[in-house]
Amino acid sequence: MKSVNFGILVGFAGLTAAGMAFTQSAAAQTAAATTTTRTTTTTTPVASPAPAGASPAPAQTGMTLPGATPEPAADAADHASVVGHFGIGYMGRRSIVIDADAAGALATVDAPVVGVRYWLNPLLGIDAGLGMLLSSGSTTTGNVSTDLQGYTVFIVHGGVPLALAGSKHFSFQVVPELNLGFSSSKRGGAGGPDLSGFHLDLGARAGTEIQFGFIGIPELSLQAGVGLALAYDHVKISPPMGAATTIGHTELGTSVGDNPWNIFTGNIAALYYFD
């Protein structure tokens, strides 16, 4: 009887141990499954919409290379859009003294100046231009042909425009400038005296440059102004025979001249800026 009871106890203990081992194995498998299947979910916060009257955020323009000119904002002044660009156009007319009559009255000849303007930065620019006039002609009466007085004129123009103030479509500018000119002619045809002239003026103009951005053409500009300059002219009159006559003339005055229309011919310039 005792041996039977002992066998029952041994069998019960074995079943208990096997059950505990099975329970531990199942728990370990459950923990492993839980560990390998765990995921993390991250929720991105949604920004609240901007108020209806708020201004839009500025666009990212990226990095600008050293020395490069950044593109101007859409609402920037027209002047900013031409910085770093060449403008080509008409820069006004310049006069050179070429002759004088017996009473000392001076005769001048004009040449239109065509040139370029380049803005180094919003304040400082460079002007360079060249004026040229080559003329000749003749008249014929019956079988007699008479040469008309012809002219050869060259003018070199240089300036340093300074944009000191402005707004959306115009800028106020002061332009220190220099003009250097040479001319030659012959009075009275083949038998007349040879004429040669030299011109130098140094001064400054003050005025405005208006750009046509208000009609969608900010590249086109019109400039107008008045100035003050010190001018020197030297004329040499050399007849075929006899001594040459030289005339020196110095003048300090405004650039408008003695004719109201000179403000349109000598003091208005037009430029077109290219990308």
Side-chain angles (χ1 to χ4, degrees):
M1 182 69 178
K2 290 181 179 181
S3 60
V4 174
N5 292 336
F6 180 75
I8 293 171
L9 291 174
V10 172
F12 180 78
L15 291 174
T16 302
M20 293 180 61
F22 178 79
T23 302
Q24 293 177 355
S25 176
Q29 292 178 0
T30 303
T34 304
T35 303
T36 57
T37 59
R38 180 176 299 170
T39 58
T40 303
T41 302
T42 303
T43 303
T44 303
V46 179
S48 59
S55 300
Q60 296 294 328
T61 58
M63 180 180 294
T64 302
L65 295 176
T69 302
E71 291 295 328
D75 60 346
D78 290 345
H79 177 70
S81 67
V82 299
V83 173
H85 299 281
F86 282 98
I88 301 177
Y90 171 68
M91 293 187 162
R93 301 179 69 88
R94 299 295 185 273
S95 299
I96 296 180
V97 176
I98 188 62
D99 199 358
D101 60 16
L106 301 177
T108 62
V109 59
D110 297 337
V113 176
V114 177
V116 298
R117 169 171 289 185
Y118 182 81
W119 288 101
L120 299 171
N121 55 54
L123 172 65
L124 178 65
I126 297 176
D127 284 350
L130 176 65
M132 183 176 65
L133 174 65
L134 304 174
S135 69
S136 63
S138 63
T139 61
T140 301
T141 303
N143 295 324
V144 179
S145 179
T146 304
D147 292 333
L148 298 176
Q149 185 171 357
Y151 300 95
T152 300
V153 179
F154 292 95
I155 298 176
V156 178
H157 168 77
V160 183
L162 304 173
L164 303 181
S167 64
K168 177 64 177 174
H169 301 298
F170 85 96
S171 62
F172 173 75
Q173 300 173 5
V174 173
V175 186
E177 62 181 12
L178 177 145
N179 295 285
L180 179 64
F182 303 90
S183 63
S184 63
S185 181
K186 181 179 286 291
R187 186 202 305 163
D194 292 327
L195 309 174
S196 62
F198 170 79
H199 173 87
L200 175 65
D201 70 67
L202 178 64
R205 289 182 293 109
T208 183
E209 181 175 13
I210 300 175
Q211 293 176 238
F212 290 79
F214 51 88
I215 57 173
I217 318 175
E219 300 85 0
L220 179 63
S221 75
L222 188 67
Q223 305 163 54
V226 294
L228 181 69
L230 176 64
Y232 171 75
D233 285 276
H234 180 273
V235 180
K236 184 176 181 180
I237 305 173
S238 304
M241 299 181 62
T245 301
T246 60
I247 301 172
H249 177 73
T250 303
E251 181 178 84
L252 175 64
T254 63
S255 58
V256 174
D258 56 359
N259 189 326
W261 293 106
N262 284 349
I263 193 172
F264 298 105
T265 60
N267 297 282
I268 285 186
L271 294 174
Y272 187 87
Y273 293 93
F274 291 88
D275 292 335

